[in-house]
Amino acid sequence: MKGTPIKTLCLTLAALLSVWSASAGETTTTFTPDTTRVLRNPLNGWVLYLGRYWDADFWETRGYDSMPTSTGETVKVSDYAGTAYLRTSWAQLEPLEGVYAWRDSTSRIYRLFKSVRDRGLKLSFRIVVDGRDQGQNTPMYVMDAGARYYTFGNGKHKSPYPDDPVFQKAYSRFIEALAEDFNDPSAVEFIDAYGLGKWGEAHGMVYSDASRKNEVFDWITSLYARTFSRVPLLIHYHRVIGVGDGESYGKVDPDTDSLLVSAINKGYSLRHDAFGMTDYYQQWEKDYAKKWAFRRPIILEGGWITGAHHRYWNDSSHKYRKDHPEDVRLGEFLAGEEAHVNMMDFRVDDQIKSWFTDCFHLVKRFVAEGGYRLYPSTVTVPSKVKRGEPVQILHTWENIGWGYCPNNIPQWNYKYKPAFALLDKSGKAVRVFVDRDAEPSDWIKGKACSYRFPILSSDLPKGRYTWAVALVDTSAGDVPGLLLSLPESQVNSEGWTPAGKVTIR
């Protein structure tokens, strides 16, 4: 917990009734949280997967702009997601050396990215190199330049060994170019920053020299940490991370924890790609999520593809019935709740339809209960101020989501803080006061945090104003940066929520 014991006090909900009451010359406002509004806050909420085979009319042809639901509504999928995730190949982004498709306004990927931005969503990426299940994922110029490789698909396709220096030089140059345009937290939610191995999931690895596993892991995680310094980075946590000889299963590798910790220490957060798959997401993975809960955000990807070849009804949990994809959706939801995940996924096509047509109630439940939903439960402000006299604001905050606000990750560096503004008659903030001792990453469900915030009254301009509260981004000029879990009607056009009148003389 940040701040001094005098200023900061985190309390159980039961203890709140005994906390400060307003005295003469003060106004206390009690807020009731909103649980239905979709909050497009960073590292929070639903992630829409874009797939690999989109076209110019992606949203319409996939039915994402007119999705029927189990409650009889027809909605846009993008109205429930805040992030669009593209798991794509290096070859698709850089088909020829130095030719970057995302910079070509006539390319399909450029148009896709524009459509994402037009819907108010942020982008996120995983760049896959190995193509054993997908084809030629690495551009051929890398092998032509002398990178050693292994073949698959009857020798037709080639993947470079990740410990090869020619590959590493070319890949580093590509990631540096990508970061020039996408190391921007206003446009990019996160980077799934490993991309090696089968499906880019850091397993099934094939090296020319397997003893270099740890060296390769350090190289690629350092590369992403260096180039994407402002965007959250994710690593796929599982028990055989980076293991060679094509190993995708088995017992926990002795290096796994130290490798993951090394990535976390470089600024990585966590994701897993097999939530709901009992034989993949095992006790070790559950324990790892528990170990890092509320210390690093955890992102969920569901494992089973219920509309394709996966026989989800053979899951060893015996909880999934054949022809009942809703069983899988519930299994993923409950596993996410157990892990306190901040984000869940809408996978492509049949997976998305399953969420909306079979389990729309779970979509809404995650909006209401998942990730983080922060709001000020009470705010006490002075209603009369004489300049030169002591002034303080008392404020209590709660989180009704099962996740947490990851204000503590290095890329954010504690930039979100509670703040109080004096609004003039037009609703414009004429003064903003930031309580830097109050820390949103401390706000966990079931534990209210209360603060006593002194303000220098000599800084207050004379006149009549409205106090207002917000969570501001201190890296962007102290403007409101996170949406509060309050009704939109209580928030003005600048993002401030009024909390009482004041006369200053």
Side-chain angles (χ1 to χ4, degrees), residues 144-199:
D144 293 342
R148 292 171 296 162
Y149 60 88
Y150 53 95
T151 62
F152 51 95
N154 296 323
K156 179 182 179 182
H157 303 300
K158 302 173 181 179
S159 278
Y161 291 111
D163 53 322
D164 181 85
V166 176
F167 155 73
Q168 291 188 2
K169 182 178 179 180
Y171 188 76
S172 296
R173 190 165 53 242
F174 160 69
I175 293 300
E176 289 166 354
L178 191 72
E180 286 179 13
D181 296 329
F182 294 106
N183 185 25
D184 178 3
S186 70
V188 178
E189 192 74 88
F190 60 78
I191 303 290
D192 194 352
Y194 188 85
L196 303 180
K198 270 195 170 184
W199 312 304

Side-chain angles (χ1 to χ4, degrees), residues 16 49 72 101 108 117 139 217 232 238 271 322-323 347 359 382 401 405 456-457 463 502:
L16 277 178
Y49 281 41
R108 293 168 63 237
R117 292 190 294 269
F217 189 91
H238 57 78
R271 68 170 279 134
K322 186 178 180 180
D323 299 324
R347 296 287 290 279
C359 297
C405 177
L456 293 175
S457 62
V502 62

